[in-house]
């Protein structure tokens, strides 16, 4: 049951972190001015046309949360627990992939 609660909290935390403005984008324009933007990992994924990673994160997190709720409600099936564990691990892996992909994104404004 503790693993289920941790899984739910972790997935909520992942979505909060994906929406925080943690990146700063700076660019110089031809007239010599520079502009600076604060962006979230999701905004940077959108700039690089990698939004499918966020959709994958949503799908895996939904499976993880639903199976965690089932375990909390008393379902004792080993299949549900295995699916919960696998989907929780996949959610963590996809989150790490999103953070790596968004940190390596460089938008072009020309």
């Amino acid at each position: 049951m503790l693993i289920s609660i941790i899984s739910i909290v972790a997935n909520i935390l992942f979505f909060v972190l994906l929406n925080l403005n943690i990146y700063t984008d700076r660019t110089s324009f031809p007239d010599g001015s520079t502009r600076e933007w604060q962006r979230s990992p999701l905004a940077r994924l959108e700039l690089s046309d990698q939004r499918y990673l966020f959709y994958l994160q949503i799908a895996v997190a939904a499976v993880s949360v639903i199976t965690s709720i089932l375990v909390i409600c008393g379902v004792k099936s080993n299949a549900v627990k295995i699916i919960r564990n696998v989907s929780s691990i996949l959610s963590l892996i996809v989150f790490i992939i999103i953070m790596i992909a968004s940190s390596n994104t460089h938008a072009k404004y020309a």
Side-chain angles (χ1 to χ4, degrees):
M1 182 148 136
L2 182 62
I3 294 174
S4 296
I5 294 170
I6 291 171
S7 176
I8 292 171
V9 170
N11 281 305
I12 292 170
L13 185 64
F14 293 159
F15 283 106
V16 168
L17 290 174
L18 288 175
N19 286 304
L20 286 179
N21 291 331
I22 58 175
Y23 296 115
T24 302
D25 290 342
R26 290 184 192 96
T27 188
S28 297
F29 289 105
D31 64 354
S33 64
T34 59
R35 182 146 180 212
E36 189 173 289
W37 292 272
Q38 296 292 322
R39 297 199 193 276
S40 68
L42 291 181
R44 292 187 87 181
L45 284 178
E46 184 71 34
L47 283 173
S48 64
D49 275 341
Q50 295 178 340
R51 192 73 169 174
Y52 66 91
L53 289 173
F54 179 61
Y55 296 138
L56 180 63
Q57 176 71 28
I58 290 173
V60 174
V63 171
S64 176
V65 169
I66 289 169
T67 54
S68 294
I69 290 172
L70 287 173
V71 170
I72 289 173
C73 290
V75 175
K76 297 194 184 281
S77 172
N78 276 341
V80 173
K81 290 179 182 178
I82 290 171
I83 293 171
R84 179 204 57 204
N85 292 340
V86 169
S87 62
S88 295
I89 292 169
L90 281 175
S91 180
L92 175 64
I93 291 170
V94 172
F95 174 74
I96 292 170
I97 290 170
I98 287 173
M99 293 305 286
I100 291 170
S102 65
S103 70
N104 290 328
T105 299
H106 300 288
K108 295 186 177 18
Y109 300 100

